[in-house]
Amino acid sequence: MGSGTQTFQHRSLSVKLWPPSHSTRLMLVERMTKNLTTPSIFSRKCGLLSNDEAEEDAKKMEELAFAAADQHYKKEPDGDGSSAVQIYAKESSRLMLEVIKRGPKVNDGELADKATDLRGTVFDISGGHREFIEAEEAKELLRPLGEPGNSYTKICFSNRSFGLDAANVAAPILSTIKDQLTEVDLSDFIAGRPESEALDVMNIFSSVLEGCHLRYLNLSNNALGEKGVRAFGALLKSQNSLQELYLMNDGISEEAARAVSELIPSTEKLKVLHFHNNMTGDEGAFAISEIVKRSCSLEDFRCSSTRVGTDGGLALAEALKRCAHLKKLDLRDNMFGVEAGVALSKAISQFTDLTEVYLSYLNLEDEGTEALANALKHSAPSLEVLAMAGNDITAKGTASLAACIASKQFLTKLNLAENELKDEGAILIANALGEGHGQLNEVDMSTNAIRRAGGRHLAQVVVKKPGFKLLNINGNFISDEGIDEVKEIFRGS
């Protein structure tokens, strides 16, 4: 029967959503424990919890959230439990954010000292207006770094442009604290300078910081190219313990990528590697692949918008097979094609810890999408974010994708925008989200040639999710009557 005459039947189901099963409660504890032990913006400021402390806190938080929700449910036991589930989710999220901001526990007498220590370890001049820094201002601005007995371990010079005179002022000051530094952010710190001056500034900073034992290095937004990478050669060559390296929007060409691979002596401890928005291409991807092969501890890899085609995609897919601990993978906006997509699926099948995967705009088509969906279905049990927008996926390729989505009960965000799913594909995806998926808060199905039936079905499913925030169905072929139906479904939600 043609799609134009196809009818969809809906059954009215009565489902009790409360109380959650014992396994669901244990799964929430496990997920909160993982979140509490994963590095974040807050953990850099407040400290990272140990696994034992995180697990203990997670159990207590889950019990408190359950008690609050259960008390609510007992007041209205004839309901389906959806409001109790919503309270359970909101309360657990609120409690977890409090613990993350609190950081590791300390004795009451140590609390004030801890706050003082945290303020004294981070030196950050990135706030305020973006501006040139010259010698006199550099002396005043960097004065705290030269004070005897300071305990700065993290410096951020981002958003300020250092000229040659300012760099010469900074050098002797930095030399006095280089042995205590563990995190250095020099992103966007030469903006607007002539190339020759910028290279001299980079050479000065590289030489003075050579030998630092860094865990974090950010050189993004500096238009480095090969010359810039080699200007930082002394610093890069001296790094054997890097855990995070950021080289985004740096003009990393084929030659520059080779220079990075050549200069960094060891990436065995590397957990985060970001190469977003460069002009790397296939040849550059080969060099990046060599870095990835040596990074067996890698947890977060980003190589998006880097002009990588099929050959480079194949090389990256092969290298990623060695990264069994990967949690976040972002390869968006490249030209992989079907062949590289299928190759990538073989690597993804090994990623049991994967929580976020961004595979939009890779020209995967149905064949590549099906291979990746089948691989993800049998791996990544805790997947939270799945993005496969702009891949020419049709309703034909949606069945495997829907089966994968149905198995991902921790999913919070789903992005399938700018495909060709139409009503048939949209309804398959909606049905996949129909049961469970209590953490889901965002679905993007924009620009998919969806009509009234598909839009209505999606709305009917997601409106029941506790804490749901956004359904994007812009750019489709939904009639005025269909739009009114969707509005009515969400009325009062």
Side-chain angles (χ1 to χ4, degrees):
M1 185 179 290
S3 59
T5 59
Q6 193 172 8
T7 60
F8 302 97
Q9 296 180 345
H10 306 285
R11 292 183 298 169
S12 178
L13 299 176
S14 178
V15 180
K16 282 283 187 182
L17 300 176
W18 190 265
S21 66
H22 181 63
S23 61
T24 298
R25 294 183 65 183
L26 288 177
M27 208 172 290
L28 179 61
V29 170
E30 181 181 340
R31 184 179 178 188
M32 287 196 292
T33 301
K34 183 178 290 187
N35 285 337
L36 291 172
T37 55
T38 299
S40 67
I41 294 171
F42 290 119
S43 70
R44 288 204 187 111
K45 295 180 179 178
C46 307
L48 195 63
L49 275 67
S50 68
N51 193 73
D52 289 343
E53 184 179 352
E55 187 174 6
E56 181 184 349
D57 281 340
K59 288 177 180 177
K60 290 178 181 176
M61 288 187 292
E62 190 280 331
E63 288 172 1
L64 289 169
F66 178 86
D70 198 49
Q71 184 178 14
H72 172 85
Y73 178 70
K74 286 174 180 176
K75 293 178 181 177
E76 45 181 39
D78 294 332
D80 64 359
S82 59
S83 58
V85 171
Q86 188 168 359
I87 289 172
Y88 184 53
K90 287 183 177 179
E91 190 66 10
S92 59
S93 297
R94 182 186 67 80
L95 291 168
M96 185 166 66
L97 186 57
E98 285 183 2
V99 172
I100 290 173
K101 289 182 176 179
R102 181 206 72 198
K105 292 178 183 175
V106 293
N107 297 327
D108 291 342
E110 298 173 358
L111 199 54
D113 290 338
K114 180 187 174 189
T116 301
D117 289 344
L118 286 171
R119 286 194 296 271
T121 60
V122 181
F123 182 81
D124 187 350
I125 60 171
S126 63
H129 296 293
R130 189 178 184 188
E131 57 186 15
F132 279 23
I133 301 295
E134 304 302 341
E136 287 305 311
E137 187 176 1
K139 286 179 184 177
E140 185 60 32
L141 202 58
L142 304 183
R143 188 185 305 278
L145 290 177
E147 293 175 356
N150 77 75
S151 55
Y152 292 115
T153 60
K154 309 171 188 179
I155 59 170
C156 178
F157 289 178
S158 182
N159 199 42
R160 301 296 182 96
S161 179
F162 280 75
L164 190 56
D165 290 341
N168 283 322
V169 168
I173 296 174
L174 289 176
S175 68
T176 64
I177 63 166
K178 61 180 291 184
D179 292 336
Q180 64 197 52
L181 292 178
T182 60
E183 297 189 21
V184 169
D185 186 343
L186 297 179
S187 59
D188 192 21
F189 86 124
I190 51 166
R193 303 290 180 177
E195 181 183 286
S196 59
E197 182 180 19
L199 289 172
D200 286 341
V201 170
M202 288 187 278
N203 269 302
I204 289 170
F205 275 86
S206 175
S207 296
V208 74
L209 293 173
E210 180 182 4
C212 287
H213 299 292
L214 301 180
R215 59 163 300 280
Y216 172 101
L217 178 61
N218 191 343
L219 301 177
S220 300
N221 302 311
N222 284 315
L224 296 176
E226 183 187 8
K227 292 179 182 178
V229 171
R230 295 199 179 279
F232 276 113
L235 174 59
L236 293 173
K237 282 181 180 179
S238 65
Q239 299 309 305
N240 289 290
S241 301
L242 275 180
Q243 295 181 32
E244 298 183 44
L245 177 61
Y246 299 86
L247 293 166
M248 298 184 288
N249 193 30
D250 267 334
I252 301 294
S253 60
E254 168 191 340
E255 295 79 11
R258 281 205 206 99
V260 175
S261 180
E262 168 196 326
L263 290 169
I264 299 179
S266 173
T267 56
E268 290 180 3
K269 297 181 180 179
L270 201 64
K271 293 183 178 181
V272 180
L273 178 60
H274 282 200
F275 275 103
H276 170 69
N277 197 29
N278 287 299
M279 48 191 211
T280 311
D282 280 345
E283 295 296 326
F286 297 153
I288 293 173
S289 297
E290 291 303 313
I291 300 174
V292 173
K293 283 179 185 178
R294 303 193 299 265
S295 307
C296 297
S297 299
L298 202 61
E299 296 179 359
D300 180 349
F301 178 56
R302 186 177 187 186
C303 193
S304 50
S305 302
T306 48
R307 307 183 188 180
V308 176
T310 297
D311 290 342
L314 289 170
L316 288 171
E318 186 64 28
L320 284 166
K321 289 181 180 178
R322 303 194 184 187
C323 304
H325 304 291
L326 208 65
K327 295 179 180 179
K328 183 176 178 180
L329 177 63
D330 188 347
L331 299 171
R332 281 175 286 189
D333 189 24
N334 285 299
M335 300 168 283
F336 278 26
V338 173
E339 187 181 357
V342 172
L344 183 62
S345 71
K346 296 174 183 177
I348 279 182
S349 64
Q350 304 174 33
F351 299 155
T352 57
D353 296 330
L354 199 64
T355 58
E356 299 180 36
V357 59
Y358 301 89
L359 303 174
S360 298
Y361 308 104
L362 291 177
N363 300 326
L364 296 174
E365 301 180 15
D366 285 339
E367 185 180 347
T369 300
E370 288 172 350
L372 286 160
N374 289 331
L376 282 168
K377 180 182 177 182
H378 299 290
S379 61
S382 299
L383 192 68
E384 298 174 14
V385 178
L386 175 60
M388 299 186 76
N391 277 307
D392 297 321
I393 307 169
T394 70
K396 174 181 175 294
T398 310
S400 297
L401 189 56
C404 167
I405 290 168
S407 69
K408 303 305 172 191
Q409 288 297 308
F410 290 119
L411 206 62
T412 61
K413 294 183 181 180
L414 175 65
N415 184 356
L416 298 175
E418 297 185 46
N419 284 300
E420 301 169 24
L421 302 185
K422 300 184 178 178
D423 274 359
E424 183 182 350
I427 290 171
L428 282 172
I429 297 300
N431 288 339
L433 295 169
E435 293 187 19
H437 294 89
Q439 306 292 327
L440 190 70
N441 60 52
E442 186 175 318
V443 172
D444 191 342
M445 297 283 283
S446 57
T447 319
N448 263 293
I450 296 170
R451 296 183 181 274
R452 180 177 180 178
R456 180 179 62 235
H457 203 64
L458 282 164
Q460 288 171 334
V461 168
V462 301
V463 75
K464 298 175 183 176
K465 307 298 179 186
F468 192 82
K469 297 177 182 177
L470 173 67
L471 172 64
N472 187 351
I473 47 176
N474 286 334
N476 285 299
F477 303 147
I478 303 172
S479 65
D480 289 343
E481 292 82 1
I483 292 170
D484 289 339
E485 283 181 337
V486 170
K487 287 181 177 178
E488 185 61 33
I489 290 168
F490 280 103
R491 191 182 305 279
S493 68

